[in-house]
Amino acid sequence: MDDNFLINRNLQATRDGQTDPRHIVSVWVDELASALEFSERTSHEAYTLLATREKLRRVRSELLSEQDRHLIQQADQIIAAEGTVLADMALALLDPTSWQQELARFSDAFEDEINSVEQIVAASDLLDDLDDAQLLLVAAERLGKSEPELSSQLDDCETELLRHADLFYPATVYIQGIGQTLRTDLDEEDYALAATTLKFVDLLERFEELESELNFQNIMPLPPNVLKSLNHQIRLEKGLTQPQSRLVQQMRSYRNDLRTRPLAAAALLEASEAPRRYIWSSPDQAVVARMMLPAKAGHRNEEIRIGFFRASDQAPVSDWAGKSLLLGTLRATIDSEGIARFTLDQILQVNEPWRLSVEPDEREWSLSD
Amino acid sequence: MSVTPEVQNLRFHQIPHPLRPQIHIQVFRDSMSACQHLRDHLLTAPECYAWGIVCPEFHEILDIENDDTRFYYWEEAKRSNGASAQLLYDIYSEAIRLNSADAAILKWIITNSYVTIVLGLDGVVVVINDRLSVVASAYLPGQGDARGVQDSRSLGRKGFPRERPMRNGRPSGRREALAERDRRVMERREENWNLEQKLYYRVFRPAVQYVRRYQRAIPSSAMHSSVVSFETLKTVLPPVTQLKWEDWQNLRRLCGREVIYG
């Protein structure tokens, strides 16, 4: 277990040994047993059966008893015999929109309306709901049922989850417990399943930052960046290039900065890091667009510029004044200095994977850094 | 179960404490508290349906399925300071007594100097305030959403809806068809069940699963030192895989409960 990169020793609960991965696995086994009990299954039982089977595939073998393995075998036999019917029923239940609404409700209620135990329960339930849905899609894919639209909607849910990562901090002990149930070889053995664990990795990373901020000190240096490299690797597999992936991380870091602004401001007094530069090249390579992003977010109205320059002599393309550009879903106009101006808040709304195009040409510019 | 003289229009019951049977505790502190718990648990959907299985006499008192009936029952109970809800309070108290007695035998009890919490074989969790020697709450875990109860109070809505489904199904004709299919599957499954099987599958097992599932996320450090919460029951409860239908029947026999449903 010592080489498990999902055991975040920087986190308080991990150090205190509060996590209980065995209990978590036993609850999953209970759920599988219930879904197997009757030969004619409801759609909800089909959903639980498929999702929980995948969940137990992620679990370290030493956490499963002989009885558990027997149950899993039973599940495999049923899935082999009637998996596609079960998947059809289960997929029809999946409703990412409701999940997002529930997350919004949780966010609204978080500060004033619910106590700390309710926060833990709501955060855990929401996280489990998303995890189950992602696992269901993995199961469906194994059964030859591809659901690109649902998959994209669930990606949006994951983005929202990570955007609200701090709301999930009350469930940190649970999330660390889940981390401790996971096999460490998943990314080599089963890539689709490994991708479902990314949200835990990201959340735990965020919680480490949060605990460090709350303590006003870095308790320990971050461990060698196995986590980040895995994160990058899987994001690349999801179709993001390295600079796109960096931009996604940069935006996440900004959101964290803005949420913890007093702490972030204090940190800014301590150190000023160099801004980061991102460059897009036009399809004909004649023009480059440069965006400079500050290392830390100051405030939401902070101006972010994208400057357009000729590749040959780096002169601003002032003759492009009035042209429209599209960055993700964000539209802007290039001014007489060859610059398009945004606020940080607008930039935070840009969706992955940071596609840029300039009218009238609809072709995508290539991003590098 | 003894009856104390009339207090505030509702005749209160007393039951033996599950750990100290020589001490008798009153089922709720006063009529307002009793009425509030009747409202939040026996008169609130969907928990009310499960109470109809735990206490079959409930169906003789009012039409559980009817939201308006439940709402007006509560209105009347409030107006009469609980007196009109005596029958409902009686069956609620009896369920509390029986489940507390189960817990005493099975040792499904957690306690500190302030609070005792027990789970019985009907799936009823009973919370006892040991300082005041009263039952503070009794409910069926896994049958509803506590936030929904709070919302229903503030909204003052009829019927106290509490369902908040997450696996909703995307709006389409398929969702309705699937719901209809599920309903038929459940009907076929349950058509030969006796009341005991309904009690096990619909109430007791969901209660244990809820307690264990709920606990999965809550560290003991989240609890104030003076508070015991029902999720710590998992420390005294066997896993669900050891509480199968046959196991549960055996436990009921052990607790002298088999005669209830014959």
Side-chain angles (χ1 to χ4, degrees):
Chain A
M1 208 161 101
D2 283 345
D3 60 349
N4 189 342
F5 60 86
L6 283 156
I7 299 175
N8 294 58
R9 297 192 185 283
N10 291 345
L11 286 166
Q12 189 69 39
T14 306
R15 289 206 303 273
D16 293 351
Q18 289 188 42
T19 53
D20 192 354
R22 279 188 195 279
H23 177 67
I24 292 171
V25 172
S26 78
V27 170
W28 294 339
V29 170
D30 281 350
E31 286 169 359
L32 184 66
S34 296
L36 288 173
E37 183 148 6
F38 298 100
S39 56
E40 191 183 20
R41 267 163 276 277
T42 63
S43 52
H44 287 268
E45 287 162 345
Y47 191 123
T48 302
L49 170 54
L50 292 170
T52 310
R53 172 61 189 109
E54 291 301 328
K55 199 178 277 184
L56 291 172
R57 224 186 275 278
R58 291 189 317 206
V59 165
R60 285 163 35 219
S61 60
E62 64 268 31
L63 294 174
L64 296 168
S65 68
E66 268 311 304
Q67 200 185 359
D68 299 340
R69 284 179 225 282
H70 178 67
L71 210 59
I72 289 170
Q73 272 179 1
Q74 255 183 281
D76 286 342
Q77 285 164 4
I78 289 163
I79 293 168
E82 48 187 292
T84 52
V85 177
L86 296 174
D88 276 341
M89 284 196 293
L91 287 169
L93 286 182
L94 207 51
D95 185 6
T97 309
S98 283
W99 187 90
Q100 294 222 18
Q101 287 165 353
E102 192 69 15
L103 176 63
R105 245 167 46 86
F106 176 46
S107 177
D108 290 345
F110 190 81
E111 291 291 344
D112 306 319
E113 295 173 28
I114 52 179
N115 65 37
S116 59
V117 172
E118 287 168 335
Q119 286 174 354
I120 294 172
V121 173
S124 315
D125 286 349
L126 272 167
L127 184 61
D128 274 351
D129 264 2
L130 178 58
D131 194 34
D132 283 351
Q134 290 173 325
L135 289 165
L136 175 63
L137 282 202
V138 172
E141 188 80 34
R142 275 190 223 288
L143 293 161
K145 294 191 170 295
S146 178
E147 292 283 346
E149 192 184 335
L150 276 173
S151 176
S152 157
Q153 287 177 312
L154 290 183
D155 283 349
D156 291 345
C157 291
E158 185 169 332
T159 304
E160 280 300 295
L161 171 93
L162 297 173
R163 201 164 72 81
H164 291 88
D166 294 5
L167 297 182
F168 290 81
Y169 185 70
T172 179
V173 174
Y174 179 50
I175 297 167
Q176 289 167 72
I178 292 177
Q180 291 174 16
T181 69
L182 298 174
R183 289 163 48 192
T184 50
D185 59 350
L186 266 181
D187 56 320
E188 293 155 21
E189 298 290 322
D190 195 327
Y191 212 81
L193 268 186
T196 66
T197 67
L198 260 185
K199 57 187 172 296
F200 303 124
V201 175
D202 286 347
L203 284 174
L204 290 170
E205 221 178 6
R206 172 60 196 143
F207 296 161
E208 282 191 2
E209 290 167 13
L210 195 65
E211 284 195 359
S212 174
E213 286 163 8
L214 290 172
N215 291 334
F216 283 95
Q217 60 180 330
N218 288 320
I219 299 165
M220 287 170 64
L222 283 176
N225 244 341
V226 182
L227 258 174
K228 279 186 179 163
S229 69
L230 178 78
N231 197 354
H232 273 146
Q233 188 190 342
I234 294 179
R235 289 211 182 278
L236 291 176
E237 289 286 328
K238 283 175 81 176
L240 295 182
T241 62
Q242 202 163 37
Q244 284 169 337
S245 171
R246 282 193 189 141
L247 265 169
V248 170
Q249 287 183 352
Q250 180 81 54
M251 293 304 118
R252 191 177 306 147
S253 162
Y254 283 167
R255 290 185 188 105
N256 292 338
D257 289 348
L258 291 168
R259 263 198 300 275
T260 55
R261 197 179 316 157
L263 295 174
L268 276 174
L269 293 175
E270 294 295 318
S272 175
E273 290 178 47
R276 286 159 200 174
R277 186 180 64 172
Y278 294 87
I279 298 173
W280 286 265
S281 298
S282 62
D284 62 3
Q285 309 289 317
V287 177
V288 294
R290 273 205 299 266
M291 177 169 70
M292 304 295 280
L293 290 179
K296 295 261 180 204
H299 54 87
R300 289 188 177 277
N301 291 326
E302 192 168 358
E303 188 177 82
I304 304 291
R305 301 171 174 196
I306 298 183
F308 289 81
F309 305 91
R310 279 199 300 271
S312 55
D313 59 4
Q314 296 297 310
V317 286
S318 45
D319 54 332
W320 277 27
K323 280 194 175 195
S324 252
L325 67 86
L326 199 60
L327 179 61
T329 52
L330 199 60
R331 197 171 284 283
T333 304
I334 300 171
D335 67 16
S336 56
E337 296 172 70
I339 293 172
R341 297 166 203 272
F342 306 88
T343 63
L344 178 59
D345 206 29
Q346 287 174 313
I347 289 287
L348 286 170
Q349 310 304 321
V350 176
N351 293 330
E352 299 172 27
W354 292 85
R355 291 202 172 89
L356 174 71
S357 61
V358 178
E359 284 178 1
D361 192 343
E362 289 179 353
R363 284 180 297 169
E364 187 181 330
W365 291 36
S366 61
L367 174 65
S368 58
D369 60 1
Chain B
M1 189 163 60
S2 59
V3 178
T4 54
E6 186 165 322
V7 181
Q8 296 171 337
N9 295 328
L10 184 67
R11 292 189 307 281
F12 288 98
H13 296 297
Q14 297 209 336
I15 62 167
H17 192 287
L19 284 173
R20 297 176 287 279
Q22 72 281 11
I23 297 174
H24 278 65
I25 50 177
Q26 181 163 299
V27 182
F28 298 109
R29 183 180 186 174
D30 51 35
S31 53
M32 178 177 283
S33 173
C35 284
Q36 282 172 347
H37 283 85
L38 288 173
R39 175 195 65 188
D40 290 350
H41 302 293
L42 276 81
L43 296 172
T44 296
E47 191 174 331
C48 61
Y49 309 129
W51 279 105
I53 298 171
V54 173
C55 314
E57 311 91 324
F58 191 1
H59 293 277
E60 293 163 19
I61 297 172
L62 59 94
D63 178 4
I64 301 175
E65 303 289 332
N66 188 318
D67 289 350
D68 286 341
T69 305
R70 294 200 313 275
F71 182 74
Y72 292 124
Y73 193 93
W74 150 247
E75 290 275 278
E76 184 57 24
K78 192 169 54 171
R79 195 194 56 74
S80 66
N81 203 21
S84 68
Q86 185 68 51
L87 286 177
L88 199 54
Y89 171 78
D90 291 348
I91 62 168
Y92 191 25
S93 300
E94 180 63 3
I96 291 169
R97 184 186 71 79
L98 287 168
N99 280 270
S100 178
D102 295 339
I105 295 168
L106 299 171
K107 309 290 182 220
W108 290 355
I109 303 174
I110 49 167
T111 188
N112 62 16
S113 52
Y114 300 88
V115 182
T116 299
I117 301 181
V118 307
L119 175 72
L121 286 169
D122 296 335
V124 179
V125 165
V126 181
V127 182
I128 297 162
N129 181 329
D130 287 319
R131 287 294 170 93
L132 299 174
S133 287
V134 294
V135 169
S137 186
Y139 55 98
L140 296 168
Q143 300 290 339
D145 171 356
R147 213 180 329 158
V149 177
Q150 289 166 2
D151 289 353
S152 69
R153 281 183 200 147
S154 59
L155 295 172
R157 288 161 62 182
K158 287 183 186 179
F160 312 113
R162 201 194 287 184
E163 298 87 342
R164 291 183 183 275
M166 285 291 287
R167 294 177 188 185
N168 267 350
R170 292 180 298 291
S172 70
R174 179 126 171 75
R175 176 169 68 177
E176 284 70 37
L178 207 57
E180 178 57 24
R181 181 199 166 275
D182 284 354
R183 195 184 59 74
R184 286 200 306 272
V185 168
M186 292 305 291
E187 269 178 12
R188 277 196 293 277
R189 188 182 292 177
E190 295 182 8
E191 66 188 359
N192 295 320
W193 280 359
N194 59 27
L195 197 49
E196 253 190 324
Q197 282 168 308
K198 285 183 186 169
L199 183 58
Y200 172 77
Y201 285 111
R202 285 206 202 156
V203 187
F204 174 75
R205 197 169 70 171
V208 176
Q209 281 177 319
Y210 185 82
V211 168
R212 285 173 51 75
R213 184 175 150 75
Y214 186 91
Q215 199 282 332
R216 78 208 188 287
I218 301 179
S220 53
S221 59
M223 297 296 132
H224 187 273
S225 58
S226 66
V227 175
V228 173
S229 187
F230 80 80
E231 71 276 0
T232 47
L233 275 170
K234 79 118 187 180
T235 56
V236 293
L237 275 180
V240 179
T241 46
Q242 291 171 29
L243 287 173
K244 292 180 183 151
W245 163 238
E246 299 77 17
D247 304 318
W248 180 77
Q249 285 177 304
N250 288 336
L251 292 177
R252 284 183 78 80
R253 274 190 283 277
L254 179 70
C255 294
R257 296 286 298 271
E258 78 272 26
V259 292
I260 298 210
Y261 299 112

